[in-house]
Amino acid sequence: MKPFTVIAHRGACGYLPEHTLEGAALAHGMGADYIELDVVLTRDGQLAILHDLFLDAVTNVAQQFPGRNRADGRHYAIDFTLSELKTLRVNERIREPAFPQRFPVGGNIFRIPSFEEMITLLQGINHSTGREVGLYVEPKSPEWHQLEGKDIVHELLESMAAAGYSKEQDKAYLQSFDMKALQRAKNELQSELQLVQLIGDNSWGESSTDFDHLRTKAGLDEVSEFAVGIGPWLPQIVDIEDNKPTDISDLIDNAHAAGLFVHAYTLRADQLLDKYPNLETALEILVDKAGLDGVFTDHPD
């Protein structure tokens, strides 16, 4: 069998709340090759592990800090110090549609980890188990952070280097939807880390990057000038979330032709319908038929 990379999406978030130390430890124990981490900057310039720029969907911030929301009603991590974030309790993500079989929303036993704490945990488990699980890190919304007066890419690269992740051979990837941020990391900030260009949909407003262009052969050739791989959305490869006939795109073949690997997001055991009764069936299509090199998954086991 060809090598296949299993990336624990925000930890083992199919079982424990996302981006918690406990979820990362479980993902490590389940055999993940990499733990995916999203990072944001706090008011005092610290890196915190959080997927959203704001705190409302995964914490009790509205109860803990009433009146600290912005005009849009949301409480942004960048408006709080790390010590303030540490007083919050993390819960299972509140979303529609919900995943009712996942960890209950109540409980109030989880906290937001700092980047330093997550690194300490993962490197410690690597040491005690003898199994090296890598980092797959995304600085959230570099353009937005820049408008807020903070350089999240620079701060993250500095912190990763201090933790021993700075070279191409280190088991770490830096990923982003922001093409300019990755190009800057390589060319201006002289990062030697392996870079992965995430590919979303232009309608998401994720960044000023033109994702439609990146999915063309010309766009993939441009990506290959600074990155080693791409991270597309699964529906851009194959239809795995409804019961339409399977239609595999040429994105993976074109990426391989450009010298790029493909790690797609996000495969969830509890978001598959009748045509795909389990993850094994979905993986047969993704790996054997489509040629996928790795996957971000909520269920790393």
Side-chain angles (χ1 to χ4, degrees):
M1 296 179 64
K2 74 170 187 175
F4 186 76
T5 303
V6 176
I7 307 146
H9 181 239
R10 310 179 201 173
C13 67
Y15 304 99
L16 289 173
E18 66 186 60
H19 282 332
T20 56
L21 295 175
E22 294 87 347
L26 181 59
H28 195 297
M30 285 180 163
D33 299 304
Y34 289 85
I35 308 295
E36 191 244 357
L37 306 173
D38 300 295
V39 298
V40 299
L41 276 171
T42 64
R43 190 174 69 187
D44 52 343
Q46 302 298 307
L47 291 167
I49 307 298
L50 194 72
H51 177 266
D52 302 338
L53 296 173
F54 43 87
L55 301 154
D56 302 85
V58 293
T59 76
N60 63 339
V61 64
Q63 293 75 39
Q64 188 75 5
F65 293 102
R68 292 279 295 273
N69 55 288
R70 293 194 178 188
D72 63 2
R74 291 169 167 172
H75 299 76
Y76 285 76
I78 205 168
D79 295 332
F80 297 83
T81 64
L82 181 61
S83 61
E84 287 177 323
L85 294 186
K86 285 293 182 183
T87 68
L88 301 178
R89 298 290 184 167
V90 173
N91 51 256
E92 173 66 24
R93 175 172 289 271
I94 299 169
R95 70 177 99 201
E96 290 293 338
F99 295 122
Q101 67 274 42
R102 295 195 179 189
F103 199 92
V105 172
N108 296 325
I109 60 174
F110 305 100
R111 296 185 185 274
I112 295 174
S114 68
F115 184 67
E116 182 179 0
E117 288 171 330
M118 186 65 79
I119 296 297
T120 299
L121 173 77
L122 295 178
Q123 290 185 342
I125 303 177
N126 283 349
H127 176 79
S128 61
T129 62
R131 194 173 73 84
E132 186 181 8
V133 174
L135 303 179
Y136 218 119
V137 191
E138 179 186 352
K140 295 303 293 186
S141 303
E143 291 177 325
W144 185 89
H145 274 90
Q146 204 78 42
L147 292 173
E148 295 286 323
K150 294 188 182 294
D151 190 345
I152 191 171
V153 175
H154 178 268
E155 294 296 332
L156 177 58
L157 289 175
E158 289 284 304
S159 294
M160 292 183 71
Y165 302 98
S166 62
K167 304 295 184 182
E168 181 180 1
Q169 64 268 25
D170 296 330
K171 196 167 183 181
Y173 291 112
L174 183 73
Q175 60 173 342
S176 181
F177 287 99
D178 190 327
M179 182 175 178
K180 291 180 181 178
L182 291 177
Q183 290 172 321
R184 176 172 174 257
K186 183 178 182 66
N187 300 323
E188 179 184 333
L189 301 178
Q190 297 293 296
S191 174
E192 297 178 26
L193 290 173
Q194 297 185 88
L195 307 179
V196 176
Q197 175 67 57
L198 295 174
I199 299 180
D201 190 277
N202 285 347
S203 66
W204 299 350
E206 185 71 33
S207 78
S208 59
T209 303
D210 183 354
F211 298 122
D212 290 343
H213 172 66
L214 292 190
R215 291 163 60 191
T216 67
K217 290 182 178 180
L220 292 168
D221 285 339
E222 289 179 29
V223 171
S224 69
E225 294 176 2
F226 62 87
V228 296
I230 61 169
W233 186 33
L234 275 173
Q236 294 169 340
I237 295 171
V238 60
D239 188 356
I240 65 164
E241 293 184 353
D242 62 33
N243 291 313
K244 298 176 183 177
T246 300
D247 185 16
I248 298 172
S249 76
D250 59 1
L251 180 58
I252 292 179
D253 287 342
N254 291 340
H256 287 168
L260 299 163
F261 64 66
V262 183
H263 293 166
Y265 64 91
T266 305
L267 192 60
R268 300 179 172 98
D270 45 11
Q271 203 176 36
L272 301 170
L273 298 184
D274 294 344
K275 191 174 70 172
Y276 306 97
N278 50 50
L279 279 181
E280 288 76 12
T281 303
L283 283 170
E284 283 183 20
I285 294 172
L286 289 168
V287 180
D288 297 337
K289 295 183 180 180
L292 189 65
D293 303 297
V295 74
F296 295 83
T297 179
D298 292 3
H299 300 85
D301 55 333

